[in-house]
Amino acid sequence: IHNIMSSEQENIAAHVVNVAQESATENKNHNQIIHHHHHRNRQPRKEHHIKLWKTPKETMVAAALASEKKVQWAIDKYILLTILAGIYVSIGGCFAIALGRGVPSYDIGIQRLLFALAFPTGLVLIVFLGGELFTGGTMYYTLGSFERILTIKSSLFGLFLSYVGNWGGTHFFAYLFAYLTDIFADEPYLSGVRAIAELKTSLPFYVIFLRGIVANFLVCAALIFASSAEDIASKLLAIWVFISCFAAIGYEHCVANMFFVPLGIWYGADTTYAKFIYKSLIPSTLGNIIGGCFLGFIMWFLYSFHEDVVHTIEIPKKECVGFNLWKWSIFPQKEKELNK
């Protein structure tokens, strides 16, 4: 009996040990599975984005390379972007008139403030939706030419296309969506639209010219600051500050004038289109060119002249390639050389 009881106790003890070992094994396997799933589902940590802006030199490099990208567009797309830029500026102009000219004329400070706060909408649309603005192009093409990324001929051709496209976009929107819709046919907007057109065609040539220099300097400064920022809020703030500045002061922007003056003429302003050309459009365009080219030269001289070469690919001096309906390009290189 004693031997039987001892053997049963041994069997029970062995069974308990086996059960304990199996339980420990199951727990270990369960922990391994949990650990595996934990590592499998855990995503790698993202690096913290500490730098929220570019240095002036980095911004200059980005602007110079952006000029190269501009001339790599096919011409049909490029022309569409220039027309869209004119439309976007016109949208900002409509917003500015609706907001600023609804205030009584004796509150001139409030008028200018509201007008200036609304007008930057056009450049915001250009920066975030895409568009080729002539005035901003003066700075970009100047940088690209000084960096020898672009030929002067291709830069001039790109500026010509953007000028014509901006003219078409502003006139298209002004006539179709601002005049035919009669959105400014009632007072006080009607007198406000007429007053803008009459004022812009009554000032002396040199006044419009000098105002145009500062206007485009501020527009290009807005583009530089927006390019240096890495987040949307900072880009919006940069655009709004500089564009509101020039709009509130009353400087002259040729693309904006392509919208305001023809619109006022169609609404019955006491001026003519010929007067608009030689007393407003020509001097503001010349001033805008000088202001944009000056800022482009300043950026190049301070941050690239006698510095490291920005673009190491040697650009061959060639004539612009011929245009055709299948592949239009204003970049003075062949497709193979672009792929480098």
Side-chain angles (χ1 to χ4, degrees), residues 26-338:
E26 289 179 359
N27 289 335
K28 184 178 179 180
N29 293 335
H30 180 68
N31 290 335
Q32 287 179 350
I33 292 173
I34 294 176
H35 186 71
H36 172 73
H37 282 285
H38 175 70
H39 277 277
R40 187 183 66 181
N41 295 329
R42 185 170 63 183
Q43 299 294 329
R45 288 189 176 186
K46 295 181 180 179
E47 296 181 1
H48 293 287
H49 190 78
I50 298 175
K51 190 173 182 180
L52 297 178
W53 62 87
K54 302 183 186 73
T55 64
K57 182 175 177 60
E58 291 170 346
T59 306
M60 189 280 303
V61 172
L65 296 178
S67 69
E68 181 183 14
K69 185 177 179 180
K70 286 177 180 292
V71 296
Q72 289 180 356
W73 285 102
I75 285 188
D76 49 356
K77 291 184 179 180
Y78 188 86
I79 292 176
L80 178 59
L81 288 171
T82 62
I83 295 174
L84 288 175
I87 291 174
Y88 296 153
V89 170
S90 301
I91 292 173
C94 280
F95 187 27
I97 294 173
L99 206 61
R101 290 296 173 168
V103 179
S105 59
Y106 55 82
D107 289 331
I108 186 65
I110 301 298
Q111 268 192 359
R112 287 196 172 196
L113 176 63
L114 294 177
F115 186 95
L117 290 176
F119 187 69
T121 306
L123 191 61
V124 170
L125 291 171
I126 291 172
V127 170
F128 288 98
L129 293 182
E132 289 298 329
L133 190 63
F134 167 78
T135 48
T138 57
M139 176 195 65
Y140 284 110
Y141 285 120
T142 299
L143 270 175
S145 298
F146 276 112
E147 285 295 334
R148 298 184 181 180
I149 296 175
L150 312 175
T151 64
I152 295 178
K153 187 177 293 187
S154 63
S155 298
L156 293 176
F157 187 68
L159 286 175
F160 171 76
L161 284 181
S162 62
Y163 192 83
V164 174
N166 292 166
W167 181 91
T170 51
H171 282 64
F172 170 79
F173 189 91
Y175 187 78
L176 208 61
F177 299 107
Y179 173 64
L180 293 182
T181 54
D182 287 335
I183 56 176
F184 302 125
D186 300 325
E187 295 294 345
Y189 298 108
L190 179 61
S191 59
V193 170
R194 291 173 178 175
I196 292 174
E198 292 168 0
L199 176 64
K200 289 181 177 294
T201 55
S202 62
L203 297 174
F205 188 97
Y206 74 93
V207 172
I208 302 291
F209 172 74
L210 294 175
R211 290 184 180 186
I213 294 175
V214 185
N216 200 32
F217 184 88
L218 292 174
V219 170
C220 294
L223 293 172
I224 286 292
F225 273 74
S227 176
S228 67
E230 298 289 348
D231 62 293
I232 293 179
S234 299
K235 291 178 183 289
L236 288 173
L237 180 62
I239 295 171
W240 235 278
V241 167
F242 288 100
I243 303 303
S244 296
C245 175
F246 104 76
I249 294 172
Y251 291 127
E252 297 292 331
H253 189 265
C254 65
V255 180
N257 290 351
M258 292 175 187
F259 168 76
F260 288 119
V261 180
L263 181 64
I265 293 173
W266 293 327
Y267 271 109
D270 186 17
T271 187
T272 62
Y273 201 87
K275 199 174 180 181
F276 158 62
I277 295 294
Y278 72 85
K279 293 205 69 174
S280 176
L281 189 59
I282 292 177
S284 61
T285 299
L286 295 176
N288 291 164
I289 291 172
I290 291 176
C293 292
F294 177 71
L295 182 59
F297 170 77
I298 289 297
M299 293 292 293
W300 170 79
F301 184 78
L302 292 178
Y303 304 112
S304 180
F305 185 60
H306 287 168
E307 296 286 339
D308 296 334
V309 179
V310 175
H311 198 76
T312 56
I313 301 176
E314 184 178 354
I315 306 298
K317 303 295 182 181
K318 291 186 177 182
E319 298 293 330
C320 292
V321 296
F323 307 128
N324 58 74
L325 297 177
W326 298 104
K327 179 63 179 177
W328 292 359
S329 174
I330 61 173
F331 194 65
Q333 293 190 45
K334 294 181 180 179
E335 187 95 14
K336 287 191 269 188
E337 294 165 335
L338 285 176

